[in-house]
Amino acid sequence: MRILLLGSGGREHALAWKLNQSVWTNPIYIAPGNPGTAALGVNVPLGINDFEAIGQFCKKEKIEMVIVGPEEPLVNGIYDHFKADEELKDIYFIGPSKEGAQLEGSKAFAKAFMQRHNIPTAAYKEFTIDNYEEGIKYLQQHTLPIVLKADGLAAGKGVVICQSYVEAIAEFELMLQQAKFGEASRKVVVEDFLSGIELSVFAITDGKNYVILPEAKDYKRIGEGDKGLNTGGMGAVSPVPFATPGFMHKVEERVIKPTIDGLYKEGITYTGFVFFGLINVNGEPYVIEYNCRMGDPETEVVIPRLETDLIGLCVAATQQELDKVVVRTDKRAAATIMAVSRGYPTGYEKGYEITGLEGRYGKQSIIFHAGTKEDENKKIVTDGGRVFCVTSLGENIEEAVNTSLDVLDNIHFDGIYYRTDIGYEFKPQTSGEA
Ligand code: AMP
Ligand code: GLY
């Protein structure tokens, strides 16, 4: 099958790595890809939001399946673009319609959807400039902390947790009056703060049926012990020890099933990955957010644990045959540790040579590229804040983390930094009950 995968991060490297193992892949194109994906297929210099050029490429190369990695093209309607073109509409497509992508593209849409389908989530109200004064009054009588969310996509920065009324009102004003996040904060969702431990659960749906992929937990803060600024993700582990069969049963019955049924009943076209950002509040799952794609860096631990053929899964999703599919999972634990560049996440330098990537690591470890590039001398250099990650499989989380740390010991670039405490809450507990 001739496949085009859109994106260029660690998530896409992990997806390409898995697709490349399938006997069905022939060949795989990645747009725009990175030096890691170049070793698994053919990188194509296309912008992920340039739908015209992507469509032309698919026609020219007779692409049979498109898999979309990041959310932006989905929220911008790439699915609808393909379906509106006679020559593109029959290509198997993994990614929801523009309407379905609103689950991620609009927090207000997602909250209203959850309310309609009785899916547990924090209580909320939405405000625009038109009911600004009402919003201020709502904030003043709200209990602290207060969670403010820009409605639209804001590059992962649109959520602010306010510890005081002064901060909440200032932030509310910035978002609505000063357009802090541009279009994205023309509407603001104000919601109750939920206290608990987060996890990420993934499903792939054909619009009616679904299968659940291994769950994961990501580590968002830059510093050890979850201190410091938020990042795009410093590491992840899978499975999540507190995601016991009992808890996951609740997740499926209260969250996953009603979400897929809700999409189906409302006639919202959705074929692809659904990411449930959940929080465990005293053993009860609540939805913090939906994403219309896989997570990053969660994919880098979920995909290595997936034993089932990914192309088979994707084809079944496009054929509404996921009810006939069984997902097999590697019982081992996986951990990934992200190597970032000095200064990240505020500012960072790039262009430093990375050495040691070609080291002889055991089969249990995989290096996924994110912000790297090949320079004019064919050397791999840093090209982003999050540079690459090392995923390892092990008998338990601690073993997997230690193996990744050993690999990282041998890789160098000027200003390399990574957290050494990924999975800290779960040591020395053993896992393997996924
Ligand atoms: P989001 O962009 O929706 O993933 O939110 C970013 C982060 O803010 C989440 O991963 C949570 O850690 C936190 N967060 C969002 N909503 C809430 C909430 N209602 N209660 C507590 N924390 C939240
Ligand atoms: N790791 C969180 C995300 O991909 O949004």
Side-chain angles (χ1 to χ4, degrees):
M1 175 163 285
R2 301 175 67 77
I3 299 175
L4 173 65
L5 169 66
L6 291 183
S8 63
R11 168 181 50 209
E12 286 74 24
H13 188 176
L15 290 171
W17 173 85
K18 181 73 181 167
L19 292 169
N20 190 52
Q21 289 166 11
S22 173
V23 293
W24 302 104
T25 303
N26 182 30
I28 165 168
Y29 294 95
I30 310 96
N34 63 38
T37 63
L40 302 166
V42 183
N43 283 352
V44 193
L46 293 169
I48 53 168
N49 288 304
D50 189 349
F51 300 168
E52 270 311 318
I54 293 168
Q56 290 302 334
F57 178 83
C58 288
K59 290 176 193 171
K60 184 167 130 266
E61 294 297 336
K62 301 197 167 27
I63 295 298
E64 294 163 289
M65 178 152 71
V66 172
I67 302 174
V68 184
E71 64 279 10
E72 216 189 318
L74 294 166
V75 172
N76 290 342
I78 188 167
Y79 173 92
D80 308 69
H81 179 90
F82 269 66
K83 295 299 158 187
D85 186 312
E86 267 313 302
E87 287 176 75
L88 298 175
K89 71 176 179 21
D90 294 328
I91 295 177
Y92 292 172
F93 201 98
I94 297 296
S97 64
K98 185 171 185 168
E99 191 183 15
Q102 289 296 295
L103 280 186
E104 175 164 4
S106 166
K107 306 265 188 209
F109 176 95
K111 295 296 282 191
F113 177 88
M114 285 186 264
Q115 225 169 35
R116 285 199 295 283
H117 299 288
N118 247 326
I119 296 166
T121 189
Y124 82 107
K125 268 198 184 310
E126 58 182 79
F127 299 97
T128 63
I129 201 73
D130 297 331
N131 58 350
Y132 182 80
E133 291 305 325
E134 191 190 321
I136 299 285
K137 288 201 189 98
Y138 185 73
L139 292 175
Q140 282 164 338
Q141 55 77 45
H142 203 285
T143 43
L144 292 171
I146 309 173
V147 183
L148 261 54
K149 299 185 170 183
D151 179 53
L153 291 185
K157 299 195 171 60
V159 176
V160 186
I161 296 171
C162 304
Q163 304 295 341
S164 73
Y165 294 107
V166 173
E167 187 190 354
I169 290 167
E171 194 59 44
F172 191 69
E173 189 202 323
L174 272 176
M175 286 196 191
L176 283 175
Q177 306 260 27
Q178 323 281 337
K180 178 177 179 188
F181 299 107
E183 265 308 293
S185 64
R186 279 172 76 91
K187 195 183 269 177
V188 171
V189 165
V190 178
E191 70 177 40
D192 291 0
F193 179 82
L194 296 174
S195 185
I197 180 159
E198 289 175 57
L199 81 159
S200 308
V201 171
F202 303 94
I204 176 164
T205 181
D206 56 22
K208 188 171 177 209
N209 312 290
Y210 61 85
V211 291
I212 303 174
L213 303 177
E215 78 285 351
K217 179 175 193 305
D218 76 340
Y219 293 79
K220 293 194 170 78
R221 302 298 181 119
I222 188 76
E224 308 264 318
D226 292 327
K227 302 273 173 0
L229 293 174
N230 244 331
T231 72
M234 297 298 292
V237 299
S238 174
V240 179
F242 68 80
T244 58
F247 181 78
M248 290 306 286
H249 181 73
K250 289 182 191 172
V251 170
E252 180 164 10
E253 292 302 317
R254 298 180 195 169
V255 176
I256 302 178
K257 242 184 221 160
T259 299
I260 308 301
D261 286 351
L263 291 168
Y264 183 71
K265 283 188 201 132
E266 294 191 24
I268 298 173
T269 305
Y270 202 121
T271 305
F273 298 102
V274 192
F275 170 150
F276 303 87
L278 305 179
I279 189 162
N280 174 347
V281 182
N282 301 322
E284 308 302 324
Y286 285 77
V287 178
I288 290 272
E289 62 166 352
Y290 287 114
N291 293 315
C292 61
R293 46 150 180 107
M294 286 297 288
D296 197 346
E298 290 98 325
T299 306
E300 292 94 305
V301 288
V302 170
I303 288 292
R305 291 192 63 227
L306 180 68
E307 289 177 343
T308 310
D309 183 277
L310 183 56
I311 298 192
L313 265 182
C314 290
V315 170
T318 64
Q319 300 307 298
Q320 285 222 325
E321 286 182 351
L322 279 178
D323 52 333
K324 303 193 180 85
V325 170
V326 178
V327 169
R328 288 186 318 277
T329 302
D330 191 326
K331 293 287 174 235
R332 288 176 297 172
T336 197
I337 302 176
M338 188 67 70
V340 305
S341 198
R342 179 172 49 226
Y344 179 77
T346 42
Y348 53 85
E349 301 162 68
K350 42 192 194 181
Y352 295 114
E353 182 180 354
I354 309 167
T355 57
L357 286 172
E358 304 302 330
R360 283 196 287 130
Y361 308 115
K363 280 211 311 276
Q364 70 277 19
S365 295
I366 322 155
I367 296 170
F368 293 121
H369 290 237
T372 67
K373 77 168 189 194
E374 194 179 79
D375 73 2
E376 49 291 352
N377 304 316
K378 304 259 172 232
K379 290 194 168 125
I380 304 293
V381 299
T382 68
D383 194 40
R386 294 195 304 161
V387 179
F388 64 87
C389 59
V390 180
T391 297
S392 300
L393 290 155
E395 286 311 310
N396 52 48
I397 289 173
E398 188 174 25
E399 186 182 308
V401 169
N402 287 340
T403 306
S404 282
L405 287 171
D406 285 345
V407 172
L408 277 157
D409 247 353
N410 294 300
I411 307 180
H412 304 280
F413 63 81
D414 189 9
I416 189 172
Y417 166 77
Y418 49 86
R419 277 179 61 171
T420 61
D421 69 336
I422 298 303
Y424 67 92
E425 322 91 306
F426 308 130
K427 295 176 194 169
Q429 205 169 334
T430 54
S431 57
E433 57 189 348

